Amino acid sequence: MAKRNQEPLVHITKRGTLPWFVSWGIRACTIVLAMVFCGIITILVTGENPMNIYATIFNGSFGTPRRVWVLLQNIAILLCVSLAVTPAFRMRFWNIGGEGQMLAGCLASAACMICLRNIMPNWAVITCMVVSSLLAGAVWGGIPALFKAKWNTNETLFTLMMNYIATQLVAYFIIIWEVPKGSGAIGIINQSSQIGWLPMIGSYKYLLNVIIVAVLTVLMYIYLNYSKHGYEISVVGESERTARYVGIKVDRVIIRTMLLSGALCGLAGVLLVGGTDHTMTTTITGGRGFTAVMVSWLAKFNPIWMILTSFLLVFLQRGAGEISTQFGLNQSFSDILTGIILFFIIGCEFFITYKINFRHVGRKGGVPHV
Amino acid sequence: MDNKPAAVEMRNITKRFGSVLANDRVNLTIRRGEILALLGENGSGKTTLMNMLSGIYYPDEGEILIDGRPAVIRSPRDAFDLGIGMIHQHFKLVDVLTAAENIVLGMPGRLDLRKATEKIRAICDAYGFDVNPKQKIYDMSVSQKQTVEIVKVLYRGADILILDEPTAVLTPQETDKLFAVLRSMRDDGKAIVIITHKMNEVESLSDRVAVLRQGAYVGEVMTAETTAQDMTNMMVGHAVTLNINRPEPVNPHPRLEVKGLTVRNEDGILKLDDVSFIANSGEILGIAGISGSGQKELLESIAGLQSTEKGSISYIQDDGTREELLGKDPLSIQDMGVALSFVPEDRLGMGLVGSMNLADNMMLRSFRAGHSIFTDRKSPYKVAEHVVRDLSVNTPSIGTPVRRLSGGNVQKVLVGREITTAPSVLLTAYAVRGLDINSSYTIYDLINRQKEAGVAVVYVGEDLDVLVELADRILVLCGGKVSGIVDGRRTDKRELGLMMTRIGGADNG
């Protein structure tokens, strides 16, 4: 017979639910595989010993107590933004404006620190910072939600555009507040008086941030999984028609959820300006608004898992920075390694959901009929 | 009859989806010059089996022989090359293209529409199809679309045809026409498989019947040598009774009065035109009509989900006071104390949330109860257990997402939830669509129990045999207008069929 007549080389079938230890086993193997693959790439491209590279990556996060604190601080901010965008994502509202909402919060905080420092006591300035930042973030998130609810505009584009507006606004105010004149930067705000700086707990500069975000994680988990609001968000996300059918006011849920989402991004802004950086630049957010999307997705929108995924991303980022300084490698090389690892992690979900069947050798009907 | 040549032999076919065994070593023979009816309850694996024949799925085990030679069907294209064509339940046509364009879509070679049109005409003449090749799909009725699907597979040279529930959307007259065509194709030597749940169709059309149960092949019989009762017993695995009860309404009084209801859809097209009727308590009001005649808009208007142009919908309390439902949303209707339950047509897209489990779906109606900001998880769980027990829902657990359940069980979950709220009005749209006979009877029984409890039931149905047996009165819609309201005990499906296509039926139309 001229025609090829054999079963396909591979065919893909859906798996049933795997027991948790198998699926986590697959994930662990994936990470090991990713490391091995990265090692091979490293040897081929740079000639460095991959073990040294890995050791350096590890050192970048855990080398000194200070590095551990920086790691924790970075996780806290990233996790905060990730928690903020998660309710919107559960609602299938693709808020990629975490960046802009965070910047709005930063701007509000900086404004309070600069404009209120001579007329109010420290505690009042901090209160104003928190309130105004939450509001600023909420407004920044609420505007796209309002348009989505009323006129069904595309939230992805809208939130993205709001990012640029926020960046430009920040740039504008940096020029107004610049110190010294002509420098194009604000510098450290209130360096001597430390007005508007979030208080330290003991001698740990970052502990307050870490505690706030830890509490927020638990609250968010409870809110999403056990509250009536959280239930409404899930229903709206799954099917707006079902939501209307049971009398959920979809418009109201969209706006309410985005106000919350924006406000929490604003909170991340306070933690950043008031808690750690004490300054403001147009790039202060460091792309966390976008990285948060990945943190949230990788954790399947589960706040508790997000602790792990945000750790992973920050760990890789810190390690990457360390490699580039230690080995004099280009920063891009560490980005390549991060990319490879993420690709493996995301790809492994495919193998957890599906099974690949290879052609059975010598199976009846499987042998070519010539 | 066994001497007819086998077109397809499926041997020991097994297909798994995850841990679910959809087909378990199924053997099936399809012969030329014969119409085979494939019977089985929901989730018994009929469609899966046929999808493996048409190249949509690939079997995990087993082999397929076409005309006695082993064949491997990796894709729909392979299936076409082997002369297998399947007409799916949901049509796969491009709305903005003409019939001819849809038919040649994806064909290899140079596009010559004129030649194609001639060939289409020839096919239509041969089998008596009524298709205008130049007509756009969006201008077509459901039955015309289906005809285009059939011509499409014939055009591609299919001589093994598979039809998945082809009559679900047709009027009795259209069904008769389709069957005439299928018979002439059979006499032409083609092999035909029809999947259906309607026993009268199996009896009138098929030559042979093959039965699947829970993914396994039960056996086959010649249609002439069996009865609807026997086939049902084979399908279900035990004896069932095939009579629909119709208890006399007890003390009916008006519960819902609709007056002059007019609805336009988003495009400004008139969907309901001056519709008036009264639904009584303790009575089943059947609604018949070709699909898309305004049934959906009517029910959604009552449930507060559809914006209306004019008219009124009054809910009449036991003491005679009236509440206007028009212009209210579902939440305010509920807050007014009107116990309205609605089983919508689109179960997973509207009535339930597919990815949520049974308990969470039970919560949809009740999650607002109480002042706490947290949801009460315990009582929905109990309600779910209750529904599973009372309606014998077949589910691995209460924690299973409803999407994983079969159609009949999904419907039981939905109906179960809607009646646990002790409604005074129950609206149902195509409550048994796609359900096997056993589940259907469970649903009829549930609806009857509601009727006996004094609920005003509005039952939108498509199977006229069932409407005639179940409903006390039947309102017939035709193009958004009320074509007439008849007594269910005195009418027959011929009369209803005529009223569905012409206002007032044959005599005064």
Side-chain angles (χ1 to χ4, degrees):
Chain A
M1 218 152 85
K3 211 167 153 252
R4 275 189 312 133
N5 192 3
Q6 49 183 281
E7 70 174 284
L9 186 60
V10 287
H11 78 274
I12 294 162
T13 49
K14 205 163 180 199
R15 283 181 199 273
T17 346
L18 290 171
W20 66 271
F21 52 87
V22 176
S23 56
W24 282 97
I26 292 178
R27 290 190 181 106
C29 290
T30 305
I31 298 204
V32 172
L33 265 178
M35 291 299 215
V36 171
F37 189 73
C38 283
I40 295 170
I41 295 284
T42 313
I43 297 170
L44 287 179
V45 176
T46 68
E48 299 283 352
N49 180 351
M51 288 329 270
N52 289 343
I53 300 254
Y54 291 140
T56 315
I57 291 179
F58 189 81
N59 261 328
S61 294
F62 297 104
T64 63
R66 200 193 116 71
R67 283 186 184 161
V68 175
W69 277 112
V70 171
L71 178 81
L72 287 177
Q73 150 68 8
N74 275 304
I75 291 173
I77 302 282
L78 181 61
L79 186 54
C80 184
V81 190
S82 310
L83 289 171
V85 294
T86 298
F89 284 176
R90 281 229 183 169
M91 198 173 65
R92 308 270 161 94
F93 183 106
W94 305 120
N95 175 21
I96 54 167
E99 199 81 356
Q101 291 144 28
M102 212 171 153
L103 273 177
C106 291
L107 183 59
S109 288
C112 290
M113 286 165 84
I114 292 166
C115 303
L116 303 178
R117 59 188 160 198
N118 297 327
I119 50 175
M120 279 188 184
N122 189 25
W123 63 266
V125 172
I126 291 180
T127 312
C128 284
M129 280 166 66
V130 173
V131 172
S132 63
S133 300
L134 290 177
L135 278 176
V139 167
W140 226 250
I143 293 170
L146 187 72
F147 276 75
K148 167 87 175 178
K150 295 293 172 209
W151 298 288
N152 197 25
T153 52
N154 181 315
E155 74 275 11
T156 316
L157 283 176
F158 208 127
T159 49
L160 184 67
M161 293 304 165
M162 294 294 281
N163 288 346
Y164 299 119
I165 301 176
T167 312
Q168 294 308 314
L169 266 181
V170 169
Y172 176 80
F173 280 101
I174 286 176
I175 301 300
I176 292 185
W177 293 327
E178 63 184 352
V179 178
K181 282 287 165 214
S183 67
I186 298 185
I188 300 296
I189 306 169
N190 305 345
Q191 184 143 34
S192 50
S193 64
Q194 299 203 347
I195 283 178
W197 291 30
L198 297 186
M200 288 204 282
I201 297 178
S203 55
Y204 303 111
K205 192 178 166 198
Y206 300 133
L207 187 57
L208 182 67
N209 280 4
V210 174
I211 291 173
I212 289 174
V213 176
V215 172
L216 190 64
T217 310
V218 175
L219 289 180
M220 185 54 82
Y221 181 79
I222 294 171
Y223 177 77
L224 288 175
N225 292 298
Y226 298 103
S227 78
K228 288 177 183 172
H229 282 187
Y231 183 73
E232 286 185 337
I233 289 170
S234 304
V235 175
V236 170
E238 200 60 44
S239 157
E240 284 193 22
R241 271 156 51 78
T242 307
R244 288 212 178 82
Y245 161 81
V246 294
I248 294 173
K249 299 218 167 36
V250 175
D251 297 1
R252 203 181 288 175
V253 174
I254 290 178
I255 294 173
R256 184 184 70 204
T257 307
M258 271 310 288
L259 288 177
L260 174 74
S261 186
L264 291 180
C265 283
L267 177 70
V270 189
L271 298 184
L272 207 51
V273 171
T276 54
D277 288 19
H278 311 305
T279 182
M280 182 176 70
T281 64
T282 52
T283 54
I284 185 171
T285 52
R288 288 187 185 91
F290 298 114
T291 317
V293 176
M294 200 148 58
V295 171
S296 190
W297 267 97
L298 280 177
K300 299 194 177 124
F301 312 132
N302 180 335
I304 305 297
W305 286 124
M306 275 156 57
I307 301 174
L308 207 72
T309 53
S310 56
F311 162 77
L312 181 76
L313 286 171
V314 172
F315 172 77
L316 288 174
Q317 232 163 26
R318 301 284 309 159
E322 190 67 17
I323 304 180
S324 54
T325 47
Q326 284 283 312
F327 294 92
L329 294 174
N330 194 313
Q331 174 87 39
S332 309
F333 185 72
S334 42
D335 287 345
I336 291 172
L337 295 189
T338 311
I340 290 171
I341 292 171
L342 286 177
F343 185 82
F344 269 78
I345 291 173
I346 295 166
C348 94
E349 295 301 315
F350 176 84
F351 294 93
I352 291 174
T353 323
Y354 300 97
K355 190 172 144 198
I356 313 261
N357 304 279
F358 289 97
R359 184 190 300 163
H360 298 235
V361 178
R363 186 171 120 175
K364 206 176 148 197
V367 214
H369 296 257
V370 187
Chain B
M1 287 267 262
D2 265 2
N3 48 16
K4 286 202 170 119
V8 177
E9 281 173 75
M10 301 180 91
R11 289 189 190 155
N12 286 317
I13 296 287
T14 298
K15 179 75 190 168
R16 288 183 195 85
F17 294 106
S19 56
V20 180
L21 194 58
N23 284 138
D24 184 11
R25 286 162 295 158
V26 174
N27 290 293
L28 186 74
T29 308
I30 304 169
R31 295 173 197 284
R32 293 196 186 279
E34 196 177 83
I35 298 178
L36 173 73
L38 192 55
L39 271 180
E41 295 190 88
N42 295 112
S44 60
K46 305 178 297 281
T47 305
T48 307
L49 189 65
M50 289 301 113
N51 276 341
M52 283 189 275
L53 210 48
S54 61
I56 292 174
Y57 296 139
Y58 189 80
D60 295 338
E61 282 161 38
E63 61 175 343
I64 300 174
L65 278 70
I66 308 284
D67 294 325
R69 278 193 301 272
V72 172
I73 307 169
R74 277 163 294 205
S75 68
R77 185 156 294 239
D78 284 358
F80 268 131
D81 292 343
L82 292 164
I84 301 168
M86 182 157 172
I87 291 111
H88 295 268
Q89 232 170 330
H90 306 285
F91 303 143
K92 297 171 175 4
L93 297 169
V94 182
D95 265 355
V96 293
L97 297 184
T98 63
E101 287 165 340
N102 263 290
I103 288 166
V104 299
L105 205 62
M107 293 284 286
R110 226 168 59 84
L111 178 70
D112 185 350
L113 263 185
R114 220 156 49 95
K115 238 165 124 188
T117 307
E118 274 167 33
K119 193 172 161 194
I120 293 167
R121 288 241 159 83
I123 293 172
C124 291
D125 289 345
Y127 293 106
F129 289 122
D130 178 22
V131 172
N132 174 5
K134 296 206 167 93
Q135 199 179 359
K136 303 264 191 203
I137 299 296
Y138 60 74
D139 274 339
M140 291 188 175
S141 71
V142 189
S143 88
Q144 282 174 309
K145 287 182 194 169
Q146 187 180 53
T147 315
V148 174
E149 286 278 16
I150 296 173
V151 175
K152 190 165 87 181
V153 297
L154 290 177
Y155 183 92
R156 285 153 199 243
D159 51 12
I160 301 165
L161 272 87
I162 305 161
L163 296 99
D164 192 355
E165 294 195 43
T167 61
V169 290
L170 302 183
T171 62
Q173 284 80 3
E174 289 167 337
T175 303
D176 288 348
K177 234 164 84 187
L178 172 71
F179 285 2
V181 169
L182 293 179
R183 285 190 195 102
S184 82
M185 291 200 295
R186 169 191 62 194
D187 298 339
D188 210 26
K190 295 194 186 310
I192 296 170
V193 182
I194 173 167
I195 300 178
T196 180
H197 288 305
K198 297 178 189 167
M199 285 300 167
N200 57 338
E201 294 181 354
V202 175
E203 289 178 318
S204 75
L205 181 67
S206 69
D207 303 304
R208 214 153 45 90
V209 180
V211 182
L212 294 182
R213 185 167 68 227
Q214 288 164 5
Y217 177 76
V218 178
E220 60 174 51
V221 282
M222 303 309 293
T223 313
E225 295 160 12
T226 186
T227 61
Q229 185 68 55
D230 288 345
M231 289 188 278
T232 311
N233 294 353
M234 261 174 99
M235 242 163 72
V236 179
H238 54 83
V240 285
T241 44
L242 283 186
N243 293 312
I244 304 178
N245 253 331
R246 177 158 51 193
E248 281 298 320
V250 182
N251 183 26
H253 53 271
R255 176 62 56 78
L256 196 68
E257 182 171 14
V258 174
K259 261 196 222 155
L261 185 67
T262 302
V263 169
R264 278 179 201 280
N265 70 1
E266 287 151 355
D267 303 325
I269 294 163
L270 201 61
K271 295 305 283 187
L272 285 178
D273 187 1
D274 196 23
V275 169
S276 303
F277 66 89
I278 293 175
N280 294 320
S281 65
E283 192 188 81
I284 297 177
L285 174 69
I287 309 246
I290 302 169
S291 78
S293 300
Q295 296 96 322
K296 173 171 169 278
E297 287 77 10
L298 177 61
L299 294 194
E300 293 192 358
S301 300
I302 300 172
L305 295 164
Q306 169 78 46
S307 59
T308 52
E309 193 166 278
K310 56 175 190 265
S312 80
I313 300 168
S314 315
Y315 175 82
I316 303 155
Q317 304 271 25
D318 286 338
D319 58 9
T321 51
R322 283 166 175 263
E323 309 260 17
E324 180 58 44
L325 301 186
L326 207 70
K328 305 270 193 324
D329 62 23
L331 193 55
S332 25
I333 291 175
Q334 195 182 326
D335 288 346
M336 275 156 57
V338 177
L340 191 98
S341 281
F342 178 24
V343 178
E345 179 183 348
D346 186 0
R347 294 161 204 163
L348 287 176
M350 188 164 189
L352 300 167
V353 179
S355 62
M356 289 186 178
N357 64 32
L358 271 69
D360 284 358
N361 270 295
M362 292 300 154
M363 221 159 85
L364 276 169
R365 283 284 186 205
S366 61
F367 75 96
R368 286 187 198 83
H371 294 294
S372 160
I373 62 160
F374 296 111
T375 48
D376 168 16
R377 301 254 154 188
K378 282 204 195 94
S379 28
Y381 194 89
K382 284 198 191 110
V383 173
E385 282 182 327
H386 215 74
V387 168
V388 168
R389 203 174 45 234
D390 287 1
L391 311 190
S392 46
V393 178
N394 187 5
T395 174
S397 74
I398 306 286
T400 307
V402 290
R403 183 172 287 142
R404 295 235 190 101
L405 306 186
S406 72
N409 289 309
V410 168
Q411 186 69 335
K412 283 184 197 169
V413 171
L414 177 55
V415 173
R417 184 191 70 206
E418 289 302 298
I419 60 181
T420 43
T421 52
S424 56
V425 177
L426 174 64
L427 310 172
T428 65
Y430 307 110
V432 297
R433 176 180 282 178
L435 298 202
D436 57 69
I437 197 138
N438 206 24
S439 310
S440 298
Y441 277 79
T442 315
I443 302 284
Y444 301 143
D445 194 38
L446 284 170
I447 290 174
N448 266 327
R449 270 194 267 161
Q450 293 299 305
K451 165 183 165 179
E452 285 171 315
V455 176
V457 180
V458 179
Y459 178 93
V460 173
E462 52 198 347
D463 190 334
L464 297 183
D465 291 307
V466 170
L467 273 172
V468 168
E469 281 186 62
L470 179 72
D472 297 296
R473 290 183 303 138
I474 301 168
L475 182 155
V476 185
L477 282 174
C478 172
K481 283 196 168 77
V482 177
S483 180
I485 300 179
V486 291
D487 186 334
R489 289 174 177 76
R490 285 200 207 108
T491 189
D492 59 43
K493 67 173 187 171
R494 290 288 131 191
E495 186 189 17
L496 292 177
L498 287 170
M499 287 169 77
M500 280 159 68
T501 47
R502 230 181 315 165
I503 298 290
D507 305 329
N508 32 2

